[in-house]
Amino acid sequence: MKLTITDEAATKLRPFFEDPNAIVLLDFDDGVGPFSKVGVCSLNQAFQLVIVDKDEDIHDYNEKIVTELGDVYYKGYSDMYLDQVMQLKLNPQNMTLRLVGNSSGELTPVLNVIDLRKNN
């Protein structure tokens, strides 16, 4: 699996990857794991980026994608909703991030970034 981060999106995300105490998660917000706001199993198919402290339990995020900025962890079973080739892009109209797949098109039109670090 490949995830490319455009230069514009990288500018927005770089501080998270440069923090040695942070982990970046591509979270399929389906109610599984301690960072889901859904709380129970859901049919939601939205992804979000969740930034957590490196000492958090991320055992549900058992796969990773190596990007030019650093590793992005995700729940392995959620790869059925991802493309093999994807991009994180910045929408210049509203300065939000988009997750776009090579074959599926737009996977998440507004990719929220949720910073859950304790000392950010």
Side-chain angles (χ1 to χ4, degrees), residues 4 23 26 28 41 64 74 82 88 92 101 119:
T4 303
I23 297 175
L26 179 60
F28 181 61
C41 190
K64 75 176 174 180
Y74 68 100
L82 298 168
L88 274 176
N119 296 315

Side-chain angles (χ1 to χ4, degrees), residues 25 27 31-35 57-63 73-78:
L25 308 173
D27 180 49
V32 175
F35 313 115
D57 178 8
I58 63 165
H59 76 273
D60 292 315
Y61 301 85
N62 56 347
E63 297 289 335
Y73 294 85
Y74 68 100
K75 302 170 200 167
Y77 65 83
S78 66

Side-chain angles (χ1 to χ4, degrees), residues 82-97:
L82 298 168
D83 280 3
Q84 286 302 306
V85 178
M86 298 173 293
Q87 256 190 339
L88 274 176
K89 297 181 173 186
L90 187 69
N91 182 341
Q93 293 176 337
N94 58 11
M95 302 306 286
T96 59
L97 294 171

Side-chain angles (χ1 to χ4, degrees), residues 5 7-8 10 22 34 36 50 70 72 77 84-85 89 99 104 115:
I5 303 171
D7 290 341
E8 296 83 6
S36 176
V50 179
V72 176
Y77 65 83
Q84 286 302 306
V85 178
K89 297 181 173 186
L99 180 62
S104 299
D115 190 350

Side-chain angles (χ1 to χ4, degrees), residues 7-113:
D7 290 341
E8 296 83 6
T11 299
K12 189 170 186 165
L13 296 173
R14 186 168 283 109
F16 301 121
F17 285 97
E18 289 178 346
D19 180 351
N21 295 311
I23 297 175
V24 177
L25 308 173
L26 179 60
D27 180 49
F28 181 61
D29 192 17
D30 61 348
V32 175
F35 313 115
S36 176
K37 64 180 179 272
V38 174
V40 294
C41 190
S42 166
L43 297 177
N44 186 8
Q45 292 190 9
F47 285 89
Q48 58 189 3
L49 282 179
V50 179
I51 317 304
V52 299
D53 291 316
K54 71 177 182 182
D55 61 350
E56 290 285 347
D57 178 8
I58 63 165
H59 76 273
D60 292 315
Y61 301 85
N62 56 347
E63 297 289 335
K64 75 176 174 180
I65 305 169
V66 178
T67 74
E68 57 272 16
L69 290 180
D71 296 338
V72 176
Y73 294 85
Y74 68 100
K75 302 170 200 167
Y77 65 83
S78 66
D79 63 1
M80 72 173 90
Y81 302 107
L82 298 168
D83 280 3
Q84 286 302 306
V85 178
M86 298 173 293
Q87 256 190 339
L88 274 176
K89 297 181 173 186
L90 187 69
N91 182 341
Q93 293 176 337
N94 58 11
M95 302 306 286
T96 59
L97 294 171
R98 301 171 39 220
L99 180 62
V100 179
N102 195 38
S103 60
S104 299
E106 201 150 54
L107 298 169
T108 301
V110 178
L111 185 73
N112 291 321
V113 178

